[in-house]
Each structure stands twice: as structure tokens, then as C-alpha cells.
Amino acid sequence: MLDPQTRAALSEQLAPPPGFELGHAVGTSFTLDLETALTIPLSFASHRISASDGNLGILDAVRRAADRIDIFAQAGEISMGGRSDLVAFLERIVHPVTVRRGLFHPKVWFVEYASGDERAYRFICASRNLTADRSWDVVVRLDGRIAGGDKIEGATARNAPLAALLRRLPELAVQPLDDERKARIYTLADRIGTVDWEWPDGIRGLSFHALGLAGATLPELRGQRALIISPFVSDDGLATLRRGIRTDTHLISRADTLDRLAPASLGGRLRTAVLDDAASLLDQDARTDDSGALEPLTGLHAKAIIIDRQDGAQILLGSANATGAALRDNIEVMVGLTGPVPRFGVQATLEAMGALVENYAAQGGKQPTEDEESQYRLERALRSLADIRITARVLTGDSYSLAVSREERTAARADELTDGISVHWHLLTRPDAGGRGLPGVGDDPSMVADLALTDITPFMVLSARDLEGNERRTIVLAQLIDDVDTRRDAIIARQLTDRGAFVRLLMLLLELSGQQMPTGGAGAGFFAAAGAGGDEGAGLFESLVRAVGSGHGGLADVRRIVDYLLTTDDGGTVLPAGFAELWAAVWAAHEQLTGTEKDTA
């Protein structure tokens, strides 16, 4: 049953099994908040990162995972919560996508974990987007291993929709993925296609449905009674879902959604209800924030279809709303489960939700206002504009500049999309660096001059305003050409505000090589020096020496940051006294033991 007392954050669902670490993860979302996306790598590094690490911990986790995480989201639906330098490390992770018909709407994660040569897999299918939204959601998590023996054929057939979606993702990206990243995703698709999943307790049937892909069809939707949970409902979608139901259909949605259905859709044996926010606020099992205060879930974002049949309860959980667009046009993912009606059926689920649900006598017939219609048109126009490929070329001089342009073949289409709409764009890092309209076309780019190295970014904010004054903005990702190799080093250096910060980052970097770093006390060496002006160096020296010759990349990462700091005016205030000399000796020993050349870190 759908039990509202069983709570788990996405970070908990993504955390590796004991003894494993992240191999590769691919996630999808309709809307995406970059600030929220920064927390995803922490899910895989939660056993190493503590709250005291702050931005440095996030930076280290994102930097390490940049080549092992891919997130695909609908172009035109990407936003930024709070401003952060660290989004620069998401540039290779985030991929805006577009589809010819409908929307890109799945909310899934495909994860491969590694422990030596051993591999474990996890599939997560949710209803909520990768944002800071705190509405009610429903999540299916499945763990598994590669099938063997007589299970291979069944696993391959069952997982075919999942593998097909994974293979399709790179083709949907607005900006082409590099060959190596595509190859990794295709390899993951091949492996996911042969995973034998552990079925939830009491479940006797499992299926996957990737709607919107070639050859995809709706699952069987016939039975005695049904429960539909969906925040958005349309008349045609509801008709499709009710067509094969012989008796009652229970529909839990939002009040404004129910009010906008046609009165004819509300007839027959349809029972309508909404979530009772008052019951949610009184829920003593609500999650808590860091202060311990109650943090209740409010609003509905869960999507579920439950049908009582003679062969058991059929449960469909995932991203699809009860709308014609979701069932006919969008790319959506639903997980199908079959289990006993007394445990998983309509009545069992309604009883489990209990006081969270209250009846709502919808009359229907309410029409959207002119302002709402204008907002819808603006959203559609902005999604279409976000599909236009943009290029940003880095130019180097006394300062940095960007030559920003869009594809020539999109010129006529862009003029059509911006009819009656004023458009403005600017760099995510510099709200004052941009221009009116869209960037120039082809060989006539728009120029953005006088940029600092840390201002360079492929993330750009695109905003649109209509004649009624409605405004909407999104973040688009340009293709960055002739990037500066030390740009991310400069961003890291900007986080190092004092020697203590440098030491904390050093601890994180060396942890990759398995070093247990001292944190203070006798022999703390440079750790003491960073905080108290001491001059001992034994503790740090020993930790660095233990990393010499390591097959991991921790020491090479340290070298890259140190080399950059030594070229800056602030390096002397950030590096502990005497560290440059210590570092030179450590790196020379590392070169001698590993054959590493000075210029090939």
C-alpha cells in the first residue's frame, strides 16, 4: 500500500550500499533547480562529507562526480535557487533536452555502484522533480544485480523500456554530448537491461513503461474499481483511465484541478477528494529541519493509478499525470506492480492515507483566467527558445571576453517565437553581462567583455516578458569553446578564504587516496599552524608522504590547486607558512616513484 508514514529523502535513496561507491548515475527530471542538483553528489559521498565541510565539501563531492553523474531535464525548465560559484562543476553533468512532441517528464534514477569488480544496481522512479519542492510524492526503489542463468531472458524483456530510455537520452540533448560520455550511458543501458531486480515484499508482478518512446503502449487499464492520484487531470485523460473501470473511480487531486474539469467528466461513479493540508501539518511523523522544527509536506505531486482486478491489484507509480498529454504525447516512466488486493488495492490505500484525504465536491466548469492563459503561452515560448543551440567562445586579452551566438538555421524560428515577447539574456555569473533579444547569429556574435576568469560560464539566463507584463526566465546551457584550463581552479581558490579553509580542502583531496588526516593536537603540524600560528610540520608532512606513490588522484588534485594558488597574489595568505617548500619535496618524491612528469598532472 502507499503508506504516508514511510518517509525517505532522495539522498537516502541514492546512498550507496555498505562497501560500495558510485560507479555511474543517470537521472531525469522535468524541472531542475541547479542548487538542488548540487546536493546530488553529496548523496553518494555522504559517508565522507560532514556539515562542517560546507561549500568545500560540496565542491569536492561535485568535482569528483562530474564524470560519473548525468542529469537530463526539460529545456526551458531549469532554474537556480541561490547563487553559487559551485554550479560551474555542474556544466558537464546537466543536459537540457527537448522532444518533438509533448514534454520530457520522467523522474527516474539509474545507478551503478562498484566495490572492486563487484557491481550493484538501483532504479528509482519518483513523481517529483529535482527541486526544493516539499509536496507529497511517491517513490519506487528497486535494487538488483546482473541476472544469470535462466533469469537473463526474463530480465532482458522486462527491462527493455528502461534500456531504451537510457539509450534515447543522449539523442534528446540540446547540446551534443561528447563521445566518451555517450559511450558510458550506452554501456549503463546495456547493463541495466540485464538486471534482476529484487521485488518489494508481497509483490508478484513487476513491469516498466516508458511512455512516449517508439513502440510504447499504455498498460492494461481495466478492472473492478480504481484509485487515481494525480495533481493534474484533463477530461480526455480521465476518460481514458475510467473507460475500462466497471464500478467506482476515486480521484485524489488538487481543488483547482478538479474545479476545471468539465461537469460531464465528474458524473457517473466518480468520487473526488483532495489532500487535507491541516492533517499534514498535524502529522507528528513529519520530517524535521536542522533545528528540529517540524517540516511538514504540503501539496500534492504524487502520481499513482491503482486498479482492483480479479488477478490482484495493479499499481502504476511514476511521473504520468492523468492527462491526455501524459498518456499520449510526453515521455513518462511508470512502474507497474501487482499484488494482493487486500494489501495493495484501492481500499487498503485509502485507509493507509487516512486523515490526509478529505472529500471534495467538485462542480467543474471553471475556466482559466486570461492571465493564466498568458502565462501558459509564455512558458511554451520560453521552452521553445531554450531549444535553440547557443555557442560561447572564450577570447583572451587583458581580460576575458565571450563571443555568444546562436545557430543560423534558427534565425527565422526565433523571430516567430519572439513575436509579441521581449527577450533578454545574461550570464548566470554576471546579471549585468548580456543583452536584449537573443544572442547574435553565426559570424555576428554578441560580445560580452571585461570578464574575470571566474565569470566565464556556459550557463545563461534567458528571460521573456509578454505585452501583459508577465515574465518568466530559465537557464540555458551554451557550448563553451576555447575554455581556460584553470577556470575551475580559480573557482576553487575563491572558496579558500583563509589557511583553515585550505587545510580542510587538503583533507578532502587526500581522503581520495585513503589517508586518515590528523585534525589537531600534538604533531598536528600545519593544521595547528593554520589556526594558531604554530610552526610544526610533522603531522601534515606524514600525511602527504603517505599519499606519495598512491594510485589514486588525490595528490595530483592537491598539486593542481597549489600550483594555481602560487600564481595568485592571495596564495601567500592561503597557503600555510613553509608549505610551498614542503610541497615541492613531496611532489618530487611522487614523480620519482610514479614516473609522473611535472606537466602531466
Side-chain angles (χ1 to χ4, degrees), residues 188-205:
L188 181 61
D190 292 341
R191 292 173 177 169
I192 287 290
T194 60
V195 171
D196 180 27
W197 303 106
E198 299 174 8
W199 293 12
D201 181 42
I203 293 298
R204 57 174 181 252

Side-chain angles (χ1 to χ4, degrees), residues 288-323:
T288 60
D289 59 24
D290 292 338
S291 68
L294 281 177
E295 184 186 337
L297 301 175
T298 58
L300 177 68
H301 210 277
K303 292 100 175 170
I305 302 168
I306 300 173
I307 301 176
D308 291 349
R309 299 159 47 112
Q310 288 187 346
D311 58 350
Q314 179 185 14
I315 310 160
L316 290 168
L317 307 173
S319 65
N321 284 289
T323 65

Side-chain angles (χ1 to χ4, degrees), residues 142-432:
L142 301 172
D143 290 292
R145 303 291 178 100
I146 297 297
D150 58 0
K151 293 185 176 182
I152 295 177
E153 185 176 352
T156 301
R158 181 180 300 111
N159 296 328
L162 302 184
L165 176 63
L166 265 172
R167 294 190 185 99
R168 186 85 172 95
L169 292 177
E171 302 171 17
L172 299 175
V174 174
Q175 297 289 356
L177 276 66
D178 65 69
D179 291 341
E180 184 178 354
R181 192 170 285 270
K182 284 193 293 186
R184 284 198 300 269
I185 294 174
Y186 295 150
T187 298
L188 181 61
D190 292 341
R191 292 173 177 169
I192 287 290
T194 60
V195 171
D196 180 27
W197 303 106
E198 299 174 8
W199 293 12
D201 181 42
I203 293 298
R204 57 174 181 252
L206 172 67
S207 61
F208 302 106
H209 308 275
L211 307 181
L213 300 184
T217 57
L218 287 174
E220 180 67 40
L221 297 170
R222 296 181 179 277
Q224 183 70 15
R225 65 185 59 81
L227 167 61
I228 301 168
I229 303 174
S230 179
F232 301 102
V233 184
S234 69
D235 295 305
D236 56 345
L238 184 58
T240 298
L241 296 177
R242 293 185 67 191
R243 191 171 295 131
I245 305 304
R246 292 190 291 274
T247 61
D248 294 341
T249 296
H250 298 262
L251 173 61
I252 301 174
S253 187
R254 298 174 176 175
D256 58 341
T257 295
L258 297 173
D259 290 339
R260 290 182 180 180
L261 290 171
S265 297
L266 298 168
R269 303 185 68 169
L270 180 69
R271 303 175 184 272
T272 53
V274 296
L275 288 187
D276 183 355
D277 284 339
S280 172
L281 289 169
L282 294 173
D283 179 8
Q284 295 303 306
D285 284 330
R287 294 176 297 172
T288 60
D289 59 24
D290 292 338
S291 68
L294 281 177
E295 184 186 337
L297 301 175
T298 58
L300 177 68
H301 210 277
K303 292 100 175 170
I305 302 168
I306 300 173
I307 301 176
D308 291 349
R309 299 159 47 112
Q310 288 187 346
D311 58 350
Q314 179 185 14
I315 310 160
L316 290 168
L317 307 173
S319 65
N321 284 289
T323 65
L327 303 175
R328 180 185 61 244
D329 301 331
N330 297 350
I331 293 181
E332 310 271 5
V333 174
M334 302 290 281
V335 176
L337 304 166
T338 303
V341 169
R343 181 174 176 184
F344 299 102
V346 171
Q347 188 59 37
T349 303
L350 289 172
E351 290 176 359
M353 298 184 73
L356 287 175
V357 178
E358 64 175 346
N359 294 331
Y360 184 81
Q363 302 300 313
K366 183 178 179 181
Q367 299 298 313
T369 66
E370 291 185 8
D371 183 64
E372 289 170 333
E373 293 283 12
S374 297
Q375 290 280 7
Y376 297 150
R377 287 193 296 270
L378 196 59
E379 289 174 10
R380 290 193 294 268
L382 197 57
R383 280 197 292 265
S384 296
L385 288 171
D387 181 27
I388 297 174
R389 287 184 182 174
I390 297 175
T391 298
R393 184 180 296 276
V394 180
L395 305 176
T396 304
D398 293 336
S399 61
Y400 295 97
S401 301
L402 282 178
V404 184
S405 61
R406 70 181 192 272
E407 289 182 313
E408 290 188 28
R409 65 182 181 86
T410 64
R413 177 164 162 257
D415 290 340
E416 180 181 347
L417 290 171
T418 55
D419 184 31
I421 296 175
S422 61
V423 177
H424 184 275
W425 65 274
H426 64 79
L427 304 185
L428 180 60
T429 53
R430 286 276 302 274
D432 61 331

Side-chain angles (χ1 to χ4, degrees), residues 19 86 115 135 172 206 241 247 304 452 467 478 493 566 573 578 583 585:
L86 305 187
S115 178
S135 55
L172 299 175
L206 172 67
L241 296 177
T247 61
L467 298 176
L566 290 174
T573 63
W583 172 250

